Amino acid sequence: MQNVAVLETELEWLREVISIRMKNYFDGAGEEIPAPPGLQDGSVYAQIVDYYKMTSEERLLLLLTLTPHIRPQLLDIFFVRNATYDRGFTEFGGIKGQQHGGFLPTGETAAFLLGATDLSARLRLMTMFAADHFFTRHHILRIHPPTTGEPMLSGALNLYPDYINYFTLGIPHQPDDDPLFPAKRIQTALDWSDLVLEEQTMDEVEEIQAWIAHGDQLMNDWGMARKIKPGYRALFYGPPGTGKSLTACLLGKANGHDVYRIDLSMIVSKYIGETEKNLAHVFDKAVYKHWILFFDEADALFGKRTNTSSSNDRYANQEVAYLLQRIEDFPGMVILATNLRANIDEAFGRRFQSMVQFSMPGPEQRLRLWKQSFPDKIGLDPQLNLEDIADKYEIAGGAIINVTRYAALMALKHQTPFIRLIDVMTGIRREFGKEGKTV
């Protein structure tokens, strides 16, 4: 791997820097700190260093923060004890992790490597943790806030998960498997040709598509950023199975953006303050990743606010108000989906750039859905008249897929050479039964 070769070179440079800084500090040697090696390769690490035109100090800070993840033993030298005070050296900083047995560097560790007792080097280091530095703005690394009242540089150095993955595996971090992250990436193998919507609905979806494709140009090149709020907020409403989730996935797929479905059951917490923290975790990550945030069944969280008859009601309203503000300030794409538009209050509705209705498909649309839902490798029962079924049974696209799945499984089970009418009708009855209807 290209990352391995360049990181080996970088780690050797860090080893030299540590060794020389120790000699100079303890022995009074005057050796020059070596300049960083050239990075003439195609690794992600080299590309990022070059892209940000990192100074040797910025590069050393980045490498020090990465080292516990790739060669933790390199920092064991900082465990040396100060014999005068029978403890570690203050100037080395560092903390001990709960499970990690090695030395975890802090801002003090970086300050020592950059300049030992040089105050100007220490102050330059502090600017690297400022809000306007690219380390912070682009979520590369940070200094973990220390305990209240303690010096800033006593905080631990942390790399964001994306960059740990970039520098080691060469790919971005996907938090799908994180049980503490309340959002999951959703994808589809389908294309726009598989989406069956009314003409007016498709026109409104294409408007959203235009914003995703050209919104940056509109805001920046055309100067609209001075006149309108950043981001785009859309409401999808309509019965289940009418294409709301599929449309969100296709918008992401067409524009190269990941779509993350917000798990409302993980977002809403019984502990005061946890809901805001969970939401902040999602929005803060999404803002620099260009994700499309998809809140399914949004009425569960965004519905009409209650009267404040109890402290729980008042806190629930605070959660909604916080969420409304984060959505309104989010500079990316947010899609909220609900089965019933009436569940969304007027104050919230005014925050949407578009409100798209996903209606139950009509007979012509249902026929198209039926025709494209069955497997290509098997025929249909001669008695199975799709035109007749599409005309008779009002059923959404998601339910049609469920019927198809059931009928195809029955064909496999019974080893029939075609999809049987009886199985299709049984599947339709099952879907109607879910809603308390009869065929």
Side-chain angles (χ1 to χ4, degrees):
M1 293 175 60
Q2 290 177 313
N3 276 348
V4 171
V6 72
L7 289 176
E8 288 286 4
T9 302
E10 289 287 272
L11 289 168
E12 177 58 25
W13 173 54
L14 177 62
R15 189 197 63 76
E16 289 183 46
V17 171
I18 294 173
S19 176
I20 292 172
R21 185 62 74 193
M22 288 287 197
K23 287 180 183 178
N24 290 348
Y25 189 66
F26 288 113
D27 302 336
E31 290 189 42
E32 288 283 333
I33 298 297
L39 297 176
Q40 303 298 322
D41 78 345
S43 71
V44 176
Y45 182 93
Q47 291 172 19
I48 290 173
V49 168
D50 179 68
Y51 177 82
Y52 289 107
K53 308 299 180 190
M54 291 189 194
T55 65
S56 59
E57 291 182 331
E58 289 167 338
R59 190 162 149 190
L60 188 61
L61 173 60
L62 175 65
L63 181 59
L64 175 64
T65 310
L66 176 62
T67 297
H69 299 277
I70 58 175
R71 189 156 295 165
Q73 66 272 26
L74 186 60
L75 304 179
D76 284 351
I77 190 173
F78 290 115
F79 279 131
V80 63
R81 297 188 68 78
N82 186 327
T84 302
Y85 300 106
D86 192 30
R87 61 174 177 80
F89 283 84
T90 302
E91 50 268 51
F92 295 168
I95 60 173
K96 181 75 168 59
Q98 293 182 354
Q99 298 181 25
H100 179 68
F103 179 93
L104 295 175
T106 62
E108 294 291 354
T109 318
F112 176 77
L113 290 182
L114 293 180
T117 59
D118 184 346
L119 183 58
S120 61
R122 186 181 185 89
L123 297 182
R124 287 196 302 274
L125 171 65
M126 295 177 75
T127 67
M128 297 183 206
F129 302 116
D132 60 349
H133 193 279
F134 65 82
F135 279 152
T136 302
R137 283 190 293 109
H138 295 159
H139 290 71
I140 298 173
L141 66 79
R142 65 171 183 162
I143 187 166
H144 194 276
T147 303
T148 303
E150 295 191 3
M152 183 188 85
L153 292 184
S154 63
L157 302 178
N158 293 136
L159 268 180
Y160 282 87
D162 278 337
Y163 283 89
I164 296 174
N165 272 43
Y166 279 136
F167 296 148
T168 55
L169 305 177
I171 58 175
H173 169 70
Q174 296 289 357
D176 300 54
D177 298 326
D178 185 351
L180 301 179
F181 189 70
K184 296 295 180 184
R185 187 162 57 122
I186 56 175
Q187 299 173 281
T188 181
L190 302 178
D191 296 308
W192 288 112
S193 59
D194 299 301
L195 183 64
V196 180
L197 299 175
E198 291 184 352
E199 184 176 351
Q200 179 179 345
T201 303
M202 183 59 80
D203 288 343
E204 292 174 326
V205 170
E206 288 176 353
E207 177 189 339
I208 300 172
Q209 160 76 353
W211 169 266
I212 298 174
H214 306 294
D216 285 345
Q217 183 180 5
L218 177 68
M219 297 292 282
N220 300 318
D221 296 350
W222 288 25
M224 291 297 288
R226 297 184 297 108
K227 302 178 181 180
I228 59 177
K229 290 183 72 69
Y232 195 99
R233 291 154 288 281
L235 174 70
F236 290 176
Y237 67 95
T242 49
K244 300 186 291 294
S245 297
L246 175 57
T247 300
C249 288
L250 289 173
L251 286 168
K253 183 178 181 179
N255 296 279
H257 297 317
D258 288 337
V259 180
Y260 272 78
R261 180 185 182 276
I262 311 302
D263 187 339
L264 296 179
S265 66
M266 293 181 67
I267 284 288
V268 182
S269 172
K270 63 181 178 181
Y271 300 106
I272 292 178
E274 287 297 304
T275 296
E276 286 91 338
K277 186 169 71 175
N278 290 339
L279 287 168
H281 191 28
V282 175
F283 280 107
D284 291 345
K285 181 173 282 289
V287 73
Y288 75 98
K289 296 283 287 183
H290 304 293
W291 290 346
I292 295 175
L293 296 181
F294 181 67
F295 289 84
D296 200 6
E297 301 179 12
D299 47 294
L301 190 58
F302 306 108
K304 292 185 176 180
R305 282 162 279 189
T306 60
N307 295 323
T308 55
S309 58
S310 70
S311 60
N312 285 341
D313 290 337
R314 285 193 294 273
Y315 184 67
N317 288 345
Q318 292 172 14
E319 291 177 336
V320 172
Y322 172 83
L323 189 52
L324 290 174
Q325 192 61 54
R326 286 306 305 254
I327 288 176
E328 192 161 11
D329 294 340
F330 184 63
M333 181 79 214
V334 178
I335 299 173
L336 286 77
T338 177
N339 296 337
L340 298 172
R341 177 183 173 182
N343 287 348
I344 302 295
D345 68 16
E346 292 182 6
F348 191 45
R350 288 193 292 270
R351 290 169 165 84
F352 292 107
Q353 277 67 54
S354 62
M355 302 178 72
V356 184
Q357 182 176 9
F358 287 72
S359 304
M360 288 292 287
E364 291 185 6
Q365 293 167 328
R366 291 197 294 270
L367 178 59
R368 180 179 164 193
L369 287 166
W370 279 114
K371 286 182 175 179
Q372 68 185 33
S373 67
F374 289 107
D376 295 330
K377 293 185 177 182
I378 189 170
L380 301 181
D381 188 335
Q383 300 179 54
L384 181 55
N385 187 325
L386 292 182
E387 288 82 357
D388 184 51
I389 287 179
D391 187 59
K392 281 185 179 180
Y393 304 107
E394 186 179 15
I395 187 170
I400 288 174
I401 290 296
N402 288 341
V403 174
T404 300
R405 180 188 297 113
Y406 172 78
L409 282 173
M410 292 303 100
L412 287 169
K413 178 182 177 180
H414 298 294
Q415 296 295 300
T416 58
F418 49 73
I419 300 291
R420 302 188 305 176
L421 172 61
I422 187 174
D423 294 327
V424 171
M425 292 307 303
T426 300
I428 292 174
R429 290 190 187 94
R430 286 157 55 104
E431 292 303 309
F432 273 52
K434 294 176 183 178
E435 301 177 13
K437 300 177 182 179
T438 58
V439 175

